[in-house]
Amino acid sequence: MKYIKYPIFFFLMAVMPAVAQQKLTLQEIWSGAFRTQGMHDLQAMKNTNQYTVLDSGKSGATIDLYDFATLDKVSTLVSSADHKELAKGIDSYTFSADEKKLLLATNSDPIFRHSFTADFYIFDIASKSLSKLSDKKVQEPTFSADNSKVAYALENNLYVYDIAAKTTKQITTDGKKNCIINGITDWVYEEEFSFVKAYDWNATGDKIAYIRFDETDVPEFSMDVYGNDLYQTQYVFKYPKAGEKNSVVSLHIYDLKTNTGSEVKLGNYSDFYIPRIQWTADARALSVQVINRHQNDLDLIFVDANTGLAKVVLNEKDKAYIDITDNLTFLKDNSFIWTSEKDGYNHIYHYSKMGKLISQVTKGPWEVTDYYGFDEKTGNIFYQSVENGSINRDVYRVSLNGKNKTRLTPQTGTNAATFSPNYQYFINSFSSATQPPAYTLNNAKDGRVVKEIKNNNALQAKLEKYSLPAKEFMEITTEKGHKLNAWMIKPKDFDPNKKYPVFMYQYSGPGSQQVNNEWHSTDDYWFMMLAQQGYIVACVDGRGTGFKGAAFKKVTYKELGKYEVEDQIDAAKVFGKYNYVDASRIGIFGWSYGGFMSSNCILKGNDVFKMAIAVAPVTNWRFYDSVYTERYMQTPQENASGYDDNSPINHVDKLKGPFLLVHGSADDNVHVQNTMRMVEALVQANKQFDWAIYPDKNHGIYGGKTRLQLYTKMTNFIKENL
């Protein structure tokens, strides 16, 4: 018996790890099986030392109130289960200034990347009463500062609803689809300046400033929508491509006391953008950012709302371009915090209310990546930066004079903070390439962890049975001497004596970052699945990407697709020299800008890359929008060679290896025109390639089983060609 038992025991012990180590599948990856738990729509209160979280459970959605100091749940402010009007859940919420009322969005319909319409309700927290804001779905409603009114946009016009009187006033009347927009951005502003609400209440709630967009002369773009009907329909919208006419913008102020509106004369500007408006701490003073079409000359203007007088208080110029941010913050004395790259790295500056520099708060060869706020009582600024390495993020505290800097997050990885209104505590979200997101309550004085709020230990335990390969971070040096951040995922059973194919992933767009120390994206699971199947997956952030200083980022100015492509080709050559890499089997993949890059790489680097996959790629910068493209390239009329020399469509004759093109037919961002024109160019060059068009899918190409089908297609293409 004993003689028989032990061999069986040892046999079982030998096979158990193999049985336990499950393989990732695309079905699991795209089923949401590895989704992390988080704190959805976390908002810090402003008047009490509390915070709220939107929780969507099986029994409905709730907005729950918690105490910062104890983390104890104080109450449920509203539950969708208690109101039939909220039967479809709560999509988002905002507080009134006194935090006694909520604006609740439900039944939302997306428009573009950020914009949507929804049914909005005003909820009175004390009485638990719910009233509908409008009979129609509206956009971007906002409480006035005195809590008495709500402004919103409907069909390109602005309205104001009086809560007590339950009456609505229309304050603009000329709004018209594809012609005039009041208080809501046009397509290109929404996409490239990242905001939708183009209006703002002043501090006393008696004035509204708004931007008016005249789209009349902006060229139209149309997309066929195939749907399920016998005949397809057509969606037509204004889209200014590079070098074409933009919306004519103007700034207006409406006075609710006098019921009159007026246009603000900003100055002698032509062909310009207004990327931000914001009332200052002074209810009479409006701040306006005006930037030229090249986006390298920016004025910060203060407007006297009573007289209409506009005065430039700050000007910034750059040899390349200026990035617009939301880091402008006004202090009680109307001095302001501003971030700028003017010393070569993004840093925090303090200016007087007249625009005179008081001090540069942060300094050094590293970037400030987020500004969290200023504590008036202690004089401390709180911010996030890459001081601990460009792939990491940490939270810091520093005095307004730049002294007494303290790192508040000791764990190396990606840290992000939500501060309590009194700046005594912050909720820190932390993750790294090896640790899923965890949320803790931290002391804002020294960063000490007070209590854990939420973790993803269950997910981490679940993943142990998959024995996933690790993401290894490194810095590579190309033959040209460029030092580039990179990561590599090797098979778990990696053998340095074997030769492996390499599948490279990148995005590479200006200021972007893919080599960062945080928890897995969905693509990371796909990359790990490929590693389990015998591939090495690698990613390199070449020149032009972010968080290593302005010079590194802006080297690609006027030549998008030149230096970034050189770096991907050179990085592939570096990998090809590794003893364990089969240099004849290196492929590359990318989406959007990354698709533009992978297309260029298989063409310009046809002796290095065996195959490529390009999803939703720009194939000619002449086809892309004005704001983004001209920021980095100027106009095609000014820089024809910059556009043409580095557009994949002009290099199709160089194609040698297998090439897969993928696009959604309803991509409002990178139009399917890019792929269609690329296809025709490849056909006329007599080149063989594969391609797939996803009907009625936008830039993200998702919905139903779309992602599963797409990633199955790409996986099969890799297996067949790499």
Side-chain angles (χ1 to χ4, degrees), residues 9 14 16 22 29 78 258 334 390 450 471 626 640 663 697:
F9 174 78
M16 276 178 66
Q22 296 185 19
I29 292 171
V78 60
T258 62
N334 235 29
S390 60
V450 178
K471 182 181 283 187
S626 57
H663 223 117
K697 296 300 183 287

Side-chain angles (χ1 to χ4, degrees), residues 489-514:
I489 300 173
K490 299 174 184 173
K492 188 75 172 181
D493 59 354
F494 173 73
D495 182 349
N497 296 313
K498 287 185 178 180
K499 293 281 190 180
Y500 294 89
V502 173
F503 185 62
M504 291 176 61
Y505 159 71
Q506 47 66 56
Y507 178 76
S508 304
S512 66
Q513 185 178 55
Q514 262 54 56

Side-chain angles (χ1 to χ4, degrees), residues 250-251 264-269 272 274 288 290 301 303 310 312:
S250 54
L251 180 67
V264 176
K265 301 300 181 183
L266 290 169
N268 189 27
Y269 297 101
F272 64 98
I274 306 176
V288 186
V290 175
I301 299 171
V303 176
V312 176

Side-chain angles (χ1 to χ4, degrees), residues 59 61 76-86 123 128 130:
S59 59
T76 292
L77 298 182
V78 60
S79 172
S80 63
D82 297 335
H83 303 275
K84 62 181 181 180
E85 299 93 335
L86 303 176
F123 181 75
K128 301 293 183 184
L130 195 70

Side-chain angles (χ1 to χ4, degrees), residues 200 275-281 285-290 298-303 313-314 316 323-331 334-340 346-353 355 368 370-374:
D200 198 32
R276 294 290 186 270
I277 60 171
Q278 179 183 341
W279 287 95
T280 71
L286 173 71
S287 75
V288 186
Q289 294 183 42
V290 175
L298 182 145
D299 284 337
L300 176 63
I301 299 171
F302 284 2
V303 176
V313 296
L314 181 67
E316 286 213 1
D323 287 315
I324 302 299
T325 74
D326 290 307
N327 292 334
L328 174 61
T329 303
F330 292 94
L331 309 187
N334 235 29
S335 66
F336 57 92
I337 303 295
W338 179 264
T339 57
S340 171
N346 193 50
H347 281 298
I348 299 171
Y349 295 80
H350 182 206
Y351 288 88
S352 75
K353 64 181 180 180
V368 169
D370 206 349
Y371 169 78
Y372 292 125
F374 174 66

Side-chain angles (χ1 to χ4, degrees), residues 461-473:
K462 178 181 180 178
L463 291 172
E464 287 178 3
K465 63 184 179 182
Y466 292 89
S467 190
L468 297 179
K471 182 181 283 187
E472 303 174 25
F473 292 97

Side-chain angles (χ1 to χ4, degrees), residues 290-522:
V290 175
I291 195 166
N292 63 333
R293 184 155 180 165
H294 281 170
Q295 297 172 68
N296 57 11
D297 190 347
L298 182 145
D299 284 337
L300 176 63
I301 299 171
F302 284 2
V303 176
D304 186 314
N306 293 334
T307 66
L309 181 65
K311 179 182 179 182
V312 176
V313 296
L314 181 67
N315 172 263
E316 286 213 1
K317 294 183 175 66
D318 193 282
K319 293 180 180 178
Y321 54 86
I322 296 168
D323 287 315
I324 302 299
T325 74
D326 290 307
N327 292 334
L328 174 61
T329 303
F330 292 94
L331 309 187
K332 287 182 179 179
D333 62 359
N334 235 29
S335 66
F336 57 92
I337 303 295
W338 179 264
T339 57
S340 171
E341 291 182 315
K342 66 181 183 179
D343 79 343
Y345 294 87
N346 193 50
H347 281 298
I348 299 171
Y349 295 80
H350 182 206
Y351 288 88
S352 75
K353 64 181 180 180
M354 304 304 294
K356 181 180 179 181
L357 179 63
I358 298 173
S359 67
Q360 180 175 345
V361 181
T362 61
K363 298 177 183 178
W366 44 267
E367 305 262 311
V368 169
T369 46
D370 206 349
Y371 169 78
Y372 292 125
F374 174 66
D375 182 1
E376 296 273 0
K377 290 182 305 192
T378 63
N380 287 323
I381 282 176
F382 297 90
Y383 67 94
Q384 180 199 60
S385 77
V386 297
E387 291 172 66
N388 189 33
S390 60
I391 68 171
N392 301 310
R393 302 286 186 278
D394 280 292
V395 179
Y396 287 83
R397 187 193 73 241
V398 68
S399 298
L400 188 58
N401 60 11
K403 298 179 180 179
N404 305 314
K405 182 169 63 176
T406 302
R407 179 182 169 188
L408 300 176
T409 47
Q411 289 181 287
T412 298
T414 298
N415 296 271
T418 300
F419 280 86
S420 63
N422 64 5
Y423 290 97
Q424 183 179 355
Y425 300 103
F426 66 95
I427 293 175
N428 187 53
S429 68
F430 169 78
S431 79
S432 70
T434 57
Q435 183 175 327
Y439 298 82
T440 56
L441 179 69
N442 295 54
N443 187 296
K445 183 176 181 180
D446 54 15
R448 175 176 49 86
V449 174
V450 178
K451 189 176 180 180
E452 184 177 69
I453 305 173
K454 182 173 288 192
N455 61 51
N456 278 280
N457 293 344
L459 173 61
Q460 198 160 23
K462 178 181 180 178
L463 291 172
E464 287 178 3
K465 63 184 179 182
Y466 292 89
S467 190
L468 297 179
K471 182 181 283 187
E472 303 174 25
F473 292 97
M474 63 191 73
E475 183 180 73
I476 66 169
T477 303
T478 67
E479 289 183 350
K480 297 182 179 72
H482 301 298
K483 295 182 182 297
L484 309 175
N485 291 340
W487 56 250
M488 184 175 280
I489 300 173
K490 299 174 184 173
K492 188 75 172 181
D493 59 354
F494 173 73
D495 182 349
N497 296 313
K498 287 185 178 180
K499 293 281 190 180
Y500 294 89
V502 173
F503 185 62
M504 291 176 61
Y505 159 71
Q506 47 66 56
Y507 178 76
S508 304
S512 66
Q513 185 178 55
Q514 262 54 56
V515 183
N516 55 328
N517 189 11
E518 67 178 347
W519 186 246
H520 317 321
S521 68
T522 307

